[in-house]
């Protein structure tokens, strides 16, 4: 039995951070960073059956073109992803009354709708990127056993050698997306590649304000990395954690990002709101037709 201190429930029986019960969540879940983006997505739904918010975790569950979906805000960073993915998995795959894992497990679909910065000049602002792989430059996934069984060691070794990675920062890990889900969401208008996941916005992504960074050439190294025709297309803060936890737990996960900044060319989208809306409409229609 899982102890109360390890699987924490609220007095009403909902899971601790997300404040959700199993019946309040769909098996296809859209993940967004910004809590305000949840309502922007659910405004496209025909019906909304449940809404709840606790801290930065906002959830709306409803239907879009007849398909039951949930939209959940994660907040920013791999640490928040650790909370969200684990608690959503627990809602479906642990009996909350007996506190025992279920014998028959449910595989969920996680689809991230995110904003991101491109590292390649030929991937312009306002375009879409599907992350074939998540490159984790954080240490969160190293807390879990069996990471090596799901990660891409050859690709990791090539990246470490190319970047002359500082071992004080921990070993980078690379995990692929859910292949079945990818095939359902990919289209000709979407770029594809490796998405780098940084554990911060400033120093970890090479931005210098008043503090010097450990590797001033990191973005150039990311831009120039290539292995077996794979390259690092963009940089953000959640994808690798979503992929790592999902794969270990038996779920499908794909990250879709709209590019709002191009770090290679120094350009930024003229209208962030319109760019995000374009991604929302595209993503919802792909899910409704194919997932």
């Amino acid at each position: 039995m899982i102890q109360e201190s390890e699987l924490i429930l609220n007095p009403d029986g909902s899971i601790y951070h997300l404040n959700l019960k199993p019946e309040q969540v769909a098996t296809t879940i859209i993940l967004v960073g910004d809590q305000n983006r949840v309502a922007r997505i659910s405004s496209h739904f025909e019906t909304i059956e449940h809404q709840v918010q606790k801290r930065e975790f906002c959830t709306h569950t409803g239907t879009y073109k007849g398909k039951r979906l949930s939209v959940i805000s994660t907040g920013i960073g791999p640490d928040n992803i650790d909370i969200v993915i684990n608690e959503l998995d627990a809602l479906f795959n642990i009996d909350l009354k007996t506190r025992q894992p279920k014998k028959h497990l449910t595989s969920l679909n996680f689809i991230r709708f995110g904003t991101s910065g491109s590292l390649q000049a030929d991937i312009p602002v306002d375009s879409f990127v599907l992350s074939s792989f998540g490159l984790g430059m954080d240490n969160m996934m190293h807390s879990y056993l069996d990471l090596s069984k799901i990660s891409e060691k050859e690709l990791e070794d090539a990246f470490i050698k190319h970047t002359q990675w500082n071992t004080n920062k921990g070993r980078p890990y690379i995990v692929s997306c859910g292949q079945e889900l990818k095939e359902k969401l990919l289209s000709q208008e979407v770029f594809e590649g490796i998405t780098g996941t940084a554990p911060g916005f400033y120093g970890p992504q090479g931005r210098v304000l008043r503090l010097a960074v450990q590797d001033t050439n990191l973005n150039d190294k990311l831009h120039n990395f290539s292995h077996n025709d794979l390259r690092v297309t963009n940089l953000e803060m959640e994808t690798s954690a979503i992929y790592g936890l999902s794969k270990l737990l038996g779920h499908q996960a794909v990250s879709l990002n709209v590019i709002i900044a191009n770090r290679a060319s120094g350009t930024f989208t003229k209208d962030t709101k319109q760019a995000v809306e374009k991604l929302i409409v595209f993503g919802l229609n792909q899910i409704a037709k194919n997932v």
Side-chain angles (χ1 to χ4, degrees):
M1 183 176 75
I2 302 171
Q3 298 298 314
E4 292 182 7
S5 60
E6 311 307 295
L7 175 61
I8 305 170
L9 302 179
N10 297 310
D12 66 353
S14 62
I15 203 155
Y16 184 58
H17 294 94
L18 300 185
N19 210 27
L20 289 167
K21 298 178 181 180
E23 66 273 13
Q24 296 168 341
V25 190
T27 55
T28 295
I29 301 162
I30 298 168
L31 301 175
V32 297
D34 183 0
Q35 56 192 307
N36 295 320
R37 198 172 296 158
V38 174
R40 289 185 61 184
I41 294 174
S42 68
S43 68
H44 293 270
F45 289 4
E46 293 96 27
T47 62
I48 299 176
E49 66 185 69
H50 185 73
Q51 301 180 58
V52 67
Q53 180 161 0
K54 184 178 179 183
R55 304 181 188 180
E56 63 264 57
F57 307 112
C58 177
T59 301
H60 290 186
T61 296
T63 56
Y64 178 77
K65 295 187 176 179
K67 179 172 285 292
R68 189 171 187 250
L69 302 172
S70 290
V71 189
I72 300 178
S73 59
T74 64
I76 298 173
D79 51 341
N80 274 20
I81 296 301
D82 183 62
I83 292 171
V84 173
I85 300 295
N86 274 295
E87 291 197 359
L88 287 170
D89 176 79
L91 288 174
F92 285 90
N93 293 317
I94 296 174
D95 186 317
L96 300 185
K97 293 182 179 179
T98 66
R99 295 181 167 273
Q100 298 280 3
K102 295 179 180 179
K103 292 182 179 179
H104 302 288
L105 302 178
T106 300
S107 179
L108 305 174
N109 291 316
F110 293 114
I111 304 155
R112 170 170 157 76
F113 287 6
T115 56
S116 184
S118 170
L119 293 169
Q120 305 294 338
D122 64 319
I123 302 178
V125 295
D126 302 328
S127 61
F128 301 148
V129 171
L130 186 150
S131 311
S132 298
F133 296 88
L135 161 63
M137 293 178 282
D138 63 291
N139 282 314
M140 190 275 290
M141 283 303 303
H142 290 295
S143 297
Y144 293 95
L145 196 63
D146 293 336
L147 174 60
S148 61
K149 292 182 180 179
I150 62 162
S151 61
E152 306 288 333
K153 186 176 185 302
E154 179 185 333
L155 195 52
E156 292 168 358
D157 288 342
F159 176 78
I160 290 167
K161 181 179 179 181
H162 173 78
T163 57
Q164 298 178 300
W165 190 259
N166 185 327
T167 56
N168 289 331
K169 295 194 289 188
R171 179 183 172 88
Y173 63 93
I174 300 176
V175 181
S176 65
C177 67
Q179 294 303 308
E180 294 177 18
L181 192 55
K182 170 186 167 180
E183 291 175 7
K184 296 174 181 178
L185 295 174
L186 196 61
S187 78
Q188 291 183 345
E189 58 190 291
V190 177
F191 291 91
E192 189 180 352
I194 302 170
T195 293
T197 296
F201 184 76
Y202 289 96
Q205 294 190 36
R207 291 184 171 93
V208 177
L209 300 184
R210 291 204 315 117
L211 293 176
V213 296
Q214 178 270 323
D215 187 348
T216 57
N217 297 314
L218 179 59
N219 282 357
D220 288 335
K221 294 174 182 177
L222 290 168
H223 166 78
N224 293 324
F225 176 68
S226 178
H227 185 73
N228 292 339
D229 296 324
L230 287 168
R231 60 178 181 164
V232 182
T233 49
N234 59 313
L235 193 57
E236 47 80 270
M237 295 178 62
E238 288 81 30
T239 293
S240 66
I242 294 171
Y243 284 9
L245 288 170
S246 295
K247 188 150 287 191
L248 284 178
L249 290 165
H251 305 302
Q252 291 279 310
V254 162
S255 182
L256 288 172
N257 288 277
V258 62
I259 299 301
I260 61 170
N262 188 296
R263 302 291 295 277
S265 64
T267 55
F268 195 84
T269 181
K270 302 297 184 186
D271 191 334
T272 302
K273 185 176 180 180
Q274 185 179 31
V276 171
E277 185 65 20
K278 181 182 172 185
L279 174 67
I280 290 170
V281 172
F282 170 80
L284 283 174
N285 285 330
Q286 287 295 98
I287 293 169
K289 286 188 298 182
N290 302 317
V291 178

